[in-house]
């Protein structure tokens, strides 16, 4: 009888321990999905006393993102220390330049004996830490230990340009929100922030040589209400805002600490009303001009026939290149009406002097001239696909937004390309039934459609496809007055794009993505991100 009782108790205990192991071993739900992941048996517990060791100063700096998360989310205080040894049951973060890993790649191993994260550069180590954080509980709560599932990951991104854009001209976004935007980008392994800083409706960056750009050009007298259709109403309220150069330096450094490159956009030759309102002599007619109060395309553009225009833009570039270490400077180049050029004696004279037969060729002259100046400053030019019209500048990269044709044409000419077609990448479009949504510009781009995007067109050869640098989500803010609204329009669609640009081709599965996103949105809740819940009710 005693033997039978002992056997029953033993079986109950074994069953209890098995259930306990199943409960405490977290399911792995990572976004974006790694290139290779192998589940292993067992877990590893991070305790307050768990040693966190690094092998050099670069790794020590990056380790701060892990220790900050442990403390902020779970109250576990731990700090990395520089040492050549690896104590038992430790977290080891290594930068090993002889590892053969790419700049953004990492290998992560978790087993009951400890955690080892290896990268060849700080970039890869940072992305590995983002993955490690996603293996931890998604909610903020005091814990005595953090349980990680055992696994092996070998990971690297598919594309080098993994971008998100933000228009701060139609509606200005405070510096602290821009930093949040960068934080959210980092957790999804984006590496390029395209910052749209000048526009008809507002000039948002301080240029010391031209103070009127912010004194005059950063403020519009009022703003259109709604879509402005029958009737057209305005709010009769002045609206403005800009970033000082100190603000810009702070944001650029904040991004760099998260391995995000900031690419500024200074619009030319169109979308220039805020600059023309500040310095009317730069236009074909001399004005008067005013900062635009409604959305759309305007035919008042920089005069391509005046040398003063190029002097001004070169002076602006001189200050821009000192603030942004990025390889590329975006010059816009989109939606430039030619009507004023057609009537302008100076523009027509320029065309005759340079044997230009059309105003499209005049725009190409404008872009090529600015490219030469950027190249002289050690920078490369990137612009919207309209810069193809009239002939593409010799070394320019193209951002293809009017579907994919511009990107295909550029790649066939062996120019680098970032794909960002409106059908898949414009996050200002509605993401579910417009009747239930905040006001948006129009269009329809649900989460699944973003996820199903393939940035490399099938019409390209293997060599031509190598010129596709990646893809980018664009966030135009005509109808986004607040940072909360921006967050709502960007997430979770940015998570879908993150997987498009990071994970291997052929690995995508929308149902699997939805399953993994069920955990990711809990992190959104923990961070206070105002995401759209339409797909996760």
């Amino acid at each position: 009888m005693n033997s039978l009782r002992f056997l029953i108790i033993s079986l109950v205990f074994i069953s209890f321990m098995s259930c306990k192991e199943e409960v405490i071993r977290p399911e792995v739900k990572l976004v974006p999905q790694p290139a290779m992941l192998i589940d292993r048996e067992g877990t590893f517990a991070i305790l307050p006393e768990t040693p966190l060791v690094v092998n050099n100063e670069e790794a020590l700096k990056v380790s701060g993102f892990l220790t900050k998360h442990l403390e902020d989310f779970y109250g576990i205080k731990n700090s990395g220390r520089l040492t050549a040894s690896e104590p038992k049951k430790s977290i080891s973060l290594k930068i090993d330049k002889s590892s053969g890993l790419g700049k953004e790649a990492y290998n992560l191993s978790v087993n009951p004996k400890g955690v080892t994260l290896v990268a060849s550069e700080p970039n890869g180590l940072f992305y590995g830490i983002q993955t490690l954080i996603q293996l931890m509980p998604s909610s903020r709560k005091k814990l005595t230990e953090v349980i990680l599932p055992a696994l092996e990951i070998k990971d690297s991104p598919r594309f080098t340009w993994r971008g998100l854009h933000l228009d701060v001209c139609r509606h200005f976004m405070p510096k602290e929100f821009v930093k949040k935007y960068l934080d959210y980008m980092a957790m999804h392994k984006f590496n390029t922030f395209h910052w749209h800083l000048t526009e008809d409706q507002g000039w948002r960056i301080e240029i010391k040589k031209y103070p009127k750009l912010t004194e005059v050009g950063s403020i519009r007298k009022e703003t259109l209400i709604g879509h402005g259709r029958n009737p057209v109403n305005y709010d009769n309220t002045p609206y403005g805002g800009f970033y000082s150069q100190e603000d810009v330096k702070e944001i650029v450094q904040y991004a760099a600490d998260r391995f995000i490159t900031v690419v500024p956009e200074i619009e030319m030759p169109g979308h220039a009303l805020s600059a023309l309102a500040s310095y009317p002599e730069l236009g074909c007619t001399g004005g008067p001009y005013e900062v635009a109060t409604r959305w759309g395309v305007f035919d008042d553009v920089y005069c391509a026939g005046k040398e003063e225009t190029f002097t001004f833009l070169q002076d602006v570039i001189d200050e821009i290149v000192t603030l942004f270490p990025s390889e590329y400077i975006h010059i816009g180049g989109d939606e430039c009406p030619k009507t004023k050029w057609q009537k302008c004696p100076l523009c027509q004279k320029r065309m005759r002097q340079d044997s230009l037969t059309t105003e499209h060729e005049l725009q190409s002259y404008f872009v090529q001239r600015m490219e030469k100046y950027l190249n002289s400053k050690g920078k490369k030019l990137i612009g919207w696909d309209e810069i193809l019209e009239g002939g593409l500048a010799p070394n320019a990269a193209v951002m293809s937004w009017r579907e994919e044709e511009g990107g295909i044409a550029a790649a066939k000419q062996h120019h680098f390309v970032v794909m960002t077609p409106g059908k898949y990448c414009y996050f200002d479009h509605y993401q579910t039934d417009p009747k239930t949504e905040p006001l948006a510009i129009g269009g329809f781009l649900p989460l699944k459609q973003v996820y199903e995007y393939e940035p490399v067109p099938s019409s390209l050869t293997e060599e031509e496809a190598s010129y596709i640098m990646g893809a980018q989500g664009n966030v135009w803010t005509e109808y986004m007055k607040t940072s909360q609204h921006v967050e709502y329009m960007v997430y979770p669609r940015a998570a879908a794009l993150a997987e498009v640009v990071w994970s291997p081709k052929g690995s995508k599965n929308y149902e699997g993505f939805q399953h993994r996103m069920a955990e990711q949105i809990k992190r959104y809740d923990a961070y206070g991100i105002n995401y759209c819940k339409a797909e996760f009710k």
Side-chain angles (χ1 to χ4, degrees), residues 283-285 303-306 338-352 359 362:
C284 291
T285 67
C303 180
K306 291 180 179 177
K338 313 298 191 292
T339 51
K340 291 292 169 68
W341 287 358
Q342 290 167 355
K343 298 174 184 177
C344 174
L346 293 175
C347 288
Q348 293 302 308
K349 181 181 177 183
R350 174 86 69 192
M351 290 175 65
R352 290 191 299 273
E359 281 73 23
L362 181 59

Side-chain angles (χ1 to χ4, degrees), residues 318-454:
D318 287 346
E319 296 193 30
I320 291 295
V321 298
T322 66
L323 295 169
F324 295 93
S326 56
E327 178 182 13
Y328 286 96
I329 304 294
H330 203 298
I331 59 90
D334 62 313
E335 298 177 329
C336 178
K338 313 298 191 292
T339 51
K340 291 292 169 68
W341 287 358
Q342 290 167 355
K343 298 174 184 177
C344 174
L346 293 175
C347 288
Q348 293 302 308
K349 181 181 177 183
R350 174 86 69 192
M351 290 175 65
R352 290 191 299 273
Q353 287 175 340
D354 286 81
S355 302
L356 307 173
T357 57
T358 69
E359 281 73 23
H360 286 302
E361 289 182 6
L362 181 59
Q363 176 163 333
S364 180
Y365 163 88
F366 195 114
V367 172
Q368 290 192 40
R369 185 163 170 179
M370 292 310 302
E371 185 194 40
K372 286 178 185 176
Y373 193 74
L374 280 167
N375 292 165
S376 76
K377 297 291 179 178
K379 299 292 186 180
K380 296 177 182 177
L381 180 149
I382 187 167
W384 302 110
D385 54 63
E386 284 95 330
I387 67 172
L388 285 155
E389 297 167 2
L392 188 54
N395 304 305
V398 169
M399 196 166 273
S400 189
W401 74 279
R402 296 180 301 175
E403 303 316 321
E404 296 184 321
E405 286 75 12
I408 291 169
K412 285 183 177 294
Q413 295 176 43
H414 293 181
H415 286 263
F416 286 108
V417 173
V418 176
M419 286 296 195
T420 180
K423 183 179 178 181
Y424 297 100
C425 298
Y426 267 48
F427 295 166
D428 55 339
H429 293 177
Y430 287 107
Q431 50 199 317
T432 185
D433 185 353
K435 294 175 184 175
T436 66
E437 291 294 284
L439 185 68
I441 195 168
F444 181 56
L445 179 55
L447 183 65
K448 186 178 182 182
Q449 192 164 310
V450 179
Y451 188 79
E452 291 175 345
Y453 181 50
E454 169 48 50

Side-chain angles (χ1 to χ4, degrees), residues 34-49:
M36 190 205 80
L37 186 154
I38 301 172
D39 269 319
R40 301 293 191 196
E41 290 294 321
T43 61
F44 177 74
I46 300 176
L47 307 168
E49 61 269 23

Side-chain angles (χ1 to χ4, degrees), residues 10-25:
S10 298
L11 289 171
V12 169
F13 179 74
I14 291 167
S15 175
F16 170 75
M17 290 305 292
S18 299
C19 290
K20 184 179 179 185
E21 178 66 16
E22 282 183 14
V23 170
I24 65 170
R25 189 184 189 283

Side-chain angles (χ1 to χ4, degrees), residues 448 451-452 508-518:
K448 186 178 182 182
Y451 188 79
E452 291 175 345
K508 290 189 296 181
N509 176 280
Y510 186 65
E511 288 71 27
F513 171 72
Q514 284 182 304
H515 179 68
R516 287 178 283 113
M517 278 301 297

Side-chain angles (χ1 to χ4, degrees), residues 29-289:
K29 295 181 180 179
L30 300 174
V31 178
Q33 187 167 226
M36 190 205 80
L37 186 154
I38 301 172
D39 269 319
R40 301 293 191 196
E41 290 294 321
T43 61
F44 177 74
I46 300 176
L47 307 168
E49 61 269 23
T50 299
L52 195 162
V53 297
V54 298
N55 70 328
N56 62 32
E57 292 291 343
E58 287 181 309
L60 181 62
K61 182 179 178 182
V62 178
S63 74
F65 289 96
L66 176 58
T67 57
K68 186 175 188 303
H69 183 81
L70 286 168
E71 183 170 356
D72 288 352
F73 267 63
Y74 321 115
I76 292 178
K77 293 186 178 181
N78 202 320
S79 59
R81 68 173 186 267
L82 189 59
T83 176
S85 64
E86 289 184 29
K88 291 181 179 179
K89 291 192 177 281
S90 64
I91 301 170
S92 173
L93 308 180
K94 298 178 183 177
I95 293 177
D96 180 1
K97 298 191 184 296
S98 65
S99 65
L101 295 171
K103 181 179 179 180
E104 296 185 304
Y106 65 92
N107 290 343
L108 174 63
S109 174
V110 180
N111 60 57
K113 295 180 180 179
V115 176
T116 303
L117 175 59
V118 180
S120 67
E121 298 288 344
N123 311 55
L125 198 70
F126 179 80
Y127 295 130
I129 285 173
Q130 298 309 309
T131 297
L132 194 54
I133 287 170
Q134 283 197 35
L135 297 175
M136 299 177 187
S138 52
S139 57
R140 293 179 187 263
K141 128 173 142 172
K142 294 283 184 183
L143 297 173
T144 56
E145 61 179 13
V146 172
I147 304 299
L148 303 178
L151 47 66
E152 300 287 333
I153 290 176
K154 293 184 178 180
D155 199 12
S156 60
R158 182 182 173 197
F159 292 105
T160 57
W161 187 298
R162 305 183 302 280
L164 273 185
H165 156 283
L166 182 63
D167 163 20
V168 295
C169 301
R170 275 51 175 258
H171 282 102
F172 179 75
M173 297 295 149
K175 177 177 68 175
E176 291 310 314
F177 173 69
V178 176
K179 288 182 177 181
K180 275 189 184 180
Y181 199 78
L182 293 165
D183 284 335
Y184 305 154
M185 286 178 63
M187 70 186 279
H188 292 85
K189 301 185 175 77
F190 286 104
N191 69 353
T192 306
F193 173 46
H194 175 177
W195 202 6
H196 187 80
L197 288 164
T198 74
E199 189 50 80
D200 293 305
Q201 293 83 13
W203 185 285
R204 303 290 179 222
I205 182 168
E206 177 189 23
I207 301 298
K208 293 186 184 293
K209 190 165 186 177
Y210 297 97
K212 288 182 182 177
L213 288 171
T214 46
E215 291 169 5
V216 175
S218 70
I219 303 166
R220 59 178 180 260
K221 68 181 182 182
E222 59 187 358
T223 303
L224 182 73
I225 296 173
H227 285 129
R229 300 176 192 141
N230 301 320
V232 176
N233 291 316
Y234 293 85
D235 63 9
N236 300 313
T237 304
Y239 184 91
F242 69 91
Y243 305 95
S244 70
Q245 292 197 3
E246 290 306 309
D247 291 334
V248 170
K249 290 175 186 175
E250 187 179 333
I251 287 168
V252 168
Q253 185 58 56
Y254 193 87
D257 290 343
R258 287 149 184 79
F259 303 93
I260 295 170
T261 299
V262 183
V263 175
E265 181 176 357
I266 307 298
E267 276 273 16
M268 61 183 86
H271 288 292
L273 267 176
S274 60
L276 299 184
S278 307
Y279 296 95
E281 64 273 16
L282 301 175
C284 291
T285 67
Y289 308 104

Side-chain angles (χ1 to χ4, degrees), residues 462-473:
E462 186 176 347
E463 182 189 11
E464 291 163 352
S466 69
Y467 287 92
I468 305 296
M469 294 192 287
Q472 175 176 290

